[in-house]
Amino acid sequence: MENKKDYININGTNLYFDVSGNPKGTPLVMLHGGLGSMDELNSISPYVATNYQVIRVDFRGHGKSLLGEQPLSYLQYQKDIQALLNHLDVGQYSIFGFSDGGIVAYRLAASQPERVNCLVTLGAQWRLKPNDPSIELLSGLNEEDWLSQFADEVTYYEENNPEPNFSKLLHTVKGVWLDTTASGYPDIAVKTIKCPTLVMRGDNDFLFSLDEAVALKASITNCSFANIPLTAHSSHQESPKLVGEMLRQFLRKHTN
């Protein structure tokens, strides 16, 4: 597969994707977090570019991708990624997913275990229990809160998205975060994940607790766990060398 950047019409919308790295390498899908874009993975992409063909995509409505008319959900993200990989004629692949991207990665690995060779996630919840403390935080999040912390990301979105509407995107994505139906978090479906898995979280992550990470490790048969010191939710940006090296070493050990 040749390296390229392009739009593709999938499931009623136009998604922007990027294929880079080693054209002859094993496919590695890298998925970004909620309200972000593929560019937030730039800090760790160089650690895998030499040996893997890296496939990145902006989730619908995010980055340079259009939102479309379909209701937004983790299931819809999953279907979009599966359709893109089928279009690219990718059979087996590995995945790295950050936050929302990791939640989608769990769903992909659980729904088609025969296709996923290796799974690595960072800061990615796998369920949303009724008493989860993140519910109050996510429910109360507003546009001003996000702008105060991620002004550069919002500016990137507004300058690069063909139909920018950040208020609408935020409202829609909050619905994804709080979805406890079958279209949301994978929950007990993670038990069907068979591939070697590495779950990472920042030691000070306010969304993905240590208790939930330990429970997830116990739910996946072949699972390793890493707590990244001196970082919070976005460990790959706060400590890119440590996260990048761990990703590279885990993939090297468990993929051809």
Side-chain angles (χ1 to χ4, degrees):
M1 190 196 327
E2 295 183 358
N3 292 350
K4 59 181 176 180
K5 301 180 179 181
D6 202 358
Y7 278 93
I8 180 173
N9 186 272
I10 288 179
N11 298 327
T13 195
N14 290 319
L15 300 182
Y16 185 75
F17 71 96
D18 177 343
V19 181
S20 62
N22 185 347
K24 297 182 179 180
T26 302
L28 170 64
V29 178
M30 299 186 72
L31 303 176
H32 66 79
L35 298 178
S37 73
M38 66 172 74
D39 278 11
E40 73 185 26
L41 303 173
N42 288 346
S43 59
I44 57 172
S45 294
Y47 290 90
V48 293
T50 300
N51 296 317
Y52 300 90
Q53 181 153 66
V54 179
I55 302 167
R56 307 189 304 178
V57 58
D58 286 337
F59 288 136
R60 58 174 55 216
H62 295 66
K64 298 179 182 180
S65 292
L66 294 174
L67 183 58
E69 299 300 325
Q70 298 286 345
L72 213 59
S73 68
Y74 290 124
L75 174 59
Q76 186 61 63
Y77 293 151
Q78 172 194 333
K79 290 179 177 179
D80 291 343
I81 301 304
Q82 288 172 330
L84 173 63
L85 295 175
N86 290 339
H87 171 79
L88 297 175
D89 197 27
V90 173
Q92 293 188 316
Y93 57 94
S94 296
I95 322 175
F96 169 82
F98 164 62
S99 197
D100 276 11
I103 296 167
V104 178
Y106 297 141
R107 292 189 63 106
L108 287 164
S111 65
Q112 295 183 326
E114 73 283 357
R115 294 184 65 177
V116 180
N117 296 322
C118 190
L119 170 64
V120 181
T121 67
L122 171 65
Q125 293 169 277
W126 59 292
R127 62 185 179 183
L128 192 64
K129 299 170 69 175
N131 61 343
D132 193 302
S134 68
I135 293 177
E136 181 177 358
L137 186 152
L138 296 174
S139 299
L141 185 67
N142 57 45
E143 191 171 350
E144 290 72 26
D145 294 331
W146 197 266
L147 280 168
S148 68
Q149 298 183 65
F150 306 106
D152 289 344
E153 292 185 5
V154 177
T155 299
Y156 174 88
Y157 161 80
E158 292 177 338
E159 291 178 349
N160 289 276
N161 194 279
E163 298 178 357
N165 186 336
F166 186 73
S167 294
K168 180 179 180 180
L169 179 63
L170 174 60
H171 175 76
T172 307
V173 170
K174 283 177 64 175
V176 176
W177 291 338
L178 298 171
D179 181 8
T180 56
T181 71
S183 64
Y185 298 85
D187 206 305
I188 61 172
V190 298
K191 293 179 180 292
T192 64
I193 295 174
K194 303 302 181 185
C195 64
T197 300
L198 171 61
V199 173
M200 296 188 285
R201 71 175 290 274
D203 191 36
N204 300 313
D205 193 333
F206 51 90
L207 287 175
F208 184 37
S209 72
L210 179 58
D211 287 344
E212 282 296 281
V214 171
L216 174 59
K217 182 182 184 302
S219 299
I220 299 177
T221 301
N222 187 8
C223 187
S224 300
F225 171 64
N227 207 53
I228 311 299
L230 306 176
T231 65
H233 190 57
S234 302
S235 300
H236 62 308
Q237 295 174 326
E238 300 168 63
S239 188
K241 183 175 181 180
L242 178 56
V243 174
E245 286 290 354
M246 291 184 68
L247 172 62
R248 176 162 59 186
Q249 290 180 28
F250 191 79
L251 290 172
R252 180 186 299 164
K253 181 178 180 180
H254 294 288
T255 60
N256 295 326

